[in-house]
Amino acid sequence: AQRVTQPEKLLSVFKGAPVELKCNYSYSGSPELFWYVQYSRQRLQLLLRHISRESIKGFTADLNKGETSFHLKKPFAQEEDSAMYYCALGTGTASKLTFGTGTRLQVTL
Amino acid sequence: NAGVTQTPKFQVLKTGQSMTLQCAQDMNHNSMYWYRQDPGMGLRLIYYSASEGTTDKGEVPNGYNVSRLNKREFSLRLESAAPSQTSVYFCASSETGSGETQYFGPGTRLLVL
């Protein structure tokens, strides 16, 4: 069965510091990985997906199949990055997603 | 263009009562989903509908039923609510197929006493 692990419940960093939110997955097939974000009082929304290989709001994530990881990184954290971040694994043709438990990122001055 | 809408926003039920959570999307998406979110457990898939006329179980389907009323609407029914069903429920939709972005509704907060 597929599984997504986000080991940190809370990550607190100073503004301007680098950020790395960890995500590891377990899946025997070809994985599709996503990062979703939920800002305060907003609905859950897609941040980025590995298939696009793009940078959104300064965030990037590289799929490492050898380490089964999809860590989210940003070189310089901003206050507005404070939010709940979920890593998700897509499987099957119906886009079923398995979510990790989430990491709350807190950026302080 | 409202995206994904859910009603109600908040509901309190007594154990044994029934209720239906409504979800609608105006993006002409084929696939729709119901998740529940519990503290420390992330989002877990309850049921999904890959296309109009089809539904299938997700990770935690027990105690729930769904209806894909038409392409726009996907409802979730609790026949006999239990305290363990206290949760925040999210509906989502996607265009179709694997690798597609899912668009989420604002959520329904359900408390079962």
Side-chain angles (χ1 to χ4, degrees):
Chain A
Q2 56 270 21
R3 177 182 287 184
V4 176
T5 302
Q6 292 180 253
E8 302 136 330
K9 286 187 178 180
L10 173 66
L11 183 64
S12 187
V13 301
F14 289 109
K15 179 181 175 181
V19 173
E20 183 179 45
L21 299 169
K22 290 185 167 50
C23 172
N24 288 89
Y25 67 91
S26 172
Y27 180 53
S28 57
S30 183
E32 295 157 357
L33 276 300
F34 305 81
W35 277 99
Y36 280 80
V37 61
Q38 190 169 27
Y39 300 103
S40 179
R41 297 191 183 85
Q42 293 187 29
R43 59 185 69 188
L44 195 64
Q45 58 186 285
L46 179 72
L47 180 63
L48 55 80
R49 49 183 179 167
H50 90 272
I51 198 170
S52 301
R53 302 183 68 82
E54 57 194 347
S55 172
I56 303 293
K57 298 185 179 183
F59 285 97
T60 59
D62 290 318
L63 177 60
N64 186 323
K65 290 188 178 181
E67 295 183 359
T68 60
S69 67
F70 189 58
H71 303 328
L72 184 68
K73 299 178 183 179
K74 184 170 183 177
F76 308 104
Q78 302 298 315
E79 279 184 89
E80 55 265 29
D81 296 330
S82 295
M84 194 74 182
Y85 291 79
Y86 292 96
C87 182
L89 169 66
T91 61
T93 56
S95 292
K96 292 192 296 180
L97 291 179
T98 298
F99 282 85
T101 51
T103 298
R104 180 167 298 281
L105 176 63
Q106 194 171 65
V107 182
T108 55
L109 296 175
Chain B
N1 190 339
V4 179
T5 57
Q6 293 182 234
T7 55
K9 289 184 179 179
F10 179 71
Q11 184 73 44
V12 180
L13 290 179
K14 293 181 180 178
T15 297
Q17 287 185 317
S18 62
M19 81 161 293
T20 299
L21 281 66
Q22 307 286 354
C23 174
Q25 51 90 10
D26 61 3
M27 296 174 282
N28 201 36
H29 284 170
N30 289 298
S31 301
M32 297 185 74
Y33 313 82
W34 276 107
Y35 294 90
R36 60 178 288 173
Q37 183 182 40
D38 302 296
M41 301 197 70
L43 281 81
R44 292 181 292 169
L45 183 65
I46 304 171
Y47 269 94
Y48 68 99
S49 172
S51 61
E52 186 180 355
T54 69
T55 61
D56 218 332
K57 295 178 180 179
E59 182 185 352
V60 288
N62 291 344
Y64 305 96
N65 285 301
V66 291
S67 295
R68 183 75 184 266
L69 304 171
N70 47 56
K71 192 171 186 179
R72 288 188 66 248
E73 298 171 287
F74 188 39
S75 62
L76 179 72
R77 182 159 179 84
L78 286 70
E79 291 291 352
S80 179
S84 61
Q85 294 178 304
T86 293
S87 188
V88 181
Y89 291 85
F90 289 98
C91 178
S93 70
S94 66
E95 200 168 323
T96 191
S98 60
E100 294 287 340
T101 300
Q102 290 191 14
Y103 295 85
F104 284 81
T108 294
R109 190 173 295 273
L110 177 66
L111 174 62
V112 183
L113 301 175

